[in-house]
Amino acid sequence: MDGAEQTYVSDTPNAMNEFAYQSASDRLDVYIGGSSVADMNSRNWEESMDFSTLKTAVVNESSDLIRSYINRPIYRRKNADLQGASSRDYDFILVRINALLAAADLVRRFDEEKADEIYAKALSPDGDGLLDRLKRGDFALWHETTNRSEDGIVQVVSINGSTTGYPRDIKMYGPPNVDYDEVRLVIETGGTFAPGVSSPVKFDVYVKNDNGLRMQKVVDAETMNGSYQTMAYGAMVAWQPGVYVASDEFSVIFQSSDVAIGSVKSSQIYR
């Protein structure tokens, strides 16, 4: 049993390698068949945390360090459409940084130099670690406003298996005049949109109102023509030629920290 992990039991130990700790009397009970009191008293007993529990504790501590260091909200993303290719609840950059910090702590006891090397990949004295760069803004978390979110992020909501077309581009002439919305593009009339043929495809556009998202229709049965067509919030959409089926639905997510609050017109003042 030298160095081997023993088995905890809640009752009285009665088999080899079983133990129980009596917290009330601060007593350790261990069963070793064929042993003597002298043998038991001469042994060294060590208590430690199993690796799985230790790893979880270190990962949680690293998570707290990340939150404290970047000093901005970190949100879990449960929506599968937002989880990316890895289908993780958190951004890959956060998972990567957390892994580096945790690995550095776990190996530090055995190899201080290697631990410092791993740690510097996350937090570096030169300020070029991944966590340094995240704090500086080189990386954006999934919920944060970026140039990409202001330009509109296109996602598939639901499409037919035979659908081949999609919104190929969103054009903006400035920040969207909305703080946040998931604009919905819904195919009203399906068909094949192709060059040289009159388009049979028509689409609707829905935006939010005071009652929720996708509540108000702002474009009704617009014929898809391949040019940039009015969508919402000053944005225009261009569609890719292809097959569209009625009720196909796409979303365009706008998130902006620069919302227009009015307009200024030139004038003259006389006195």
Side-chain angles (χ1 to χ4, degrees):
M1 64 179 292
D2 291 343
E5 181 179 351
Q6 307 301 290
T7 302
Y8 172 77
V9 293
S10 57
D11 56 358
T12 302
N14 57 13
M16 283 295 291
N17 300 332
E18 288 187 350
F19 78 95
Y21 175 67
Q22 309 297 334
S23 58
S25 57
D26 192 23
R27 187 184 75 211
L28 176 66
D29 295 337
V30 181
Y31 183 91
I32 303 178
S35 183
S36 64
V37 174
D39 176 53
M40 295 284 284
N41 289 336
S42 67
R43 292 177 180 267
N44 293 322
W45 304 94
E46 294 182 353
E47 177 271 336
S48 65
M49 185 184 297
D50 66 85
F51 183 73
S52 178
T53 303
L54 174 63
K55 181 177 65 173
T56 299
V58 171
V59 167
N60 290 340
E61 290 169 357
S62 298
S63 298
D64 289 340
L65 188 155
I66 293 171
R67 287 187 172 89
S68 177
Y69 187 78
I70 68 172
N71 195 30
R72 64 184 198 255
I74 295 176
Y75 298 122
R76 176 179 293 181
R77 52 181 181 185
K78 300 296 290 184
N79 188 327
D81 292 335
L82 303 176
Q83 288 183 335
S86 61
S87 298
R88 290 191 174 101
D89 287 350
Y90 293 96
D91 294 87
F92 173 77
I93 189 64
L94 290 172
V95 176
R96 177 68 172 172
I97 293 170
N98 203 339
L100 289 169
L101 294 173
D105 280 347
L106 289 171
V107 304
R108 188 170 300 281
R109 177 181 176 185
F110 308 100
D111 191 332
E112 186 82 18
E113 184 176 347
K114 175 60 70 174
D116 289 341
E117 178 185 338
I118 297 172
Y119 189 86
K121 293 180 183 296
L123 269 174
S124 168
D126 298 328
D128 57 358
L130 291 179
L131 186 53
D132 299 305
R133 295 176 61 193
L134 177 61
K135 181 180 178 69
R136 194 164 58 236
D138 291 352
F139 300 101
L141 301 180
W142 71 272
H143 60 277
E144 295 177 331
T145 299
T146 63
N147 289 337
R148 180 169 175 254
S149 68
E150 289 191 335
D151 290 341
I153 300 173
V154 179
Q155 295 183 334
V156 174
V157 177
S158 62
I159 59 173
N160 188 276
S162 59
T163 297
T164 60
Y166 54 89
R168 64 176 175 83
D169 191 28
I170 305 297
K171 179 176 287 188
M172 302 290 300
Y173 295 97
N177 55 348
V178 66
D179 53 357
Y180 180 86
D181 196 5
E182 291 186 26
V183 177
R184 296 300 177 93
L185 306 174
V186 182
I187 301 302
E188 170 76 18
T189 303
T192 300
F193 170 43
V197 180
S198 295
S199 173
V201 183
K202 297 182 179 181
F203 68 94
D204 302 330
V205 178
Y206 292 84
V207 299
K208 68 177 182 179
N209 64 15
D210 292 339
N211 296 317
L213 300 173
R214 197 192 184 282
M215 298 296 293
Q216 181 178 345
K217 184 187 289 188
V218 293
V219 174
D220 184 19
E222 180 78 8
T223 299
M224 190 180 294
N225 60 24
S227 62
Y228 285 92
Q229 298 175 265
T230 299
M231 189 175 65
Y233 305 120
M236 306 187 78
V237 58
W239 295 88
Q240 176 73 16
V243 175
Y244 294 87
V245 178
S247 298
D248 284 348
E249 187 167 344
F250 305 86
S251 72
V252 183
I253 299 175
F254 290 108
Q255 180 172 316
S256 177
S257 57
D258 187 4
V259 181
I261 58 175
S263 59
V264 177
K265 297 181 179 179
S266 62
S267 62
Q268 291 181 316
I269 299 177
Y270 297 91
R271 67 174 183 176

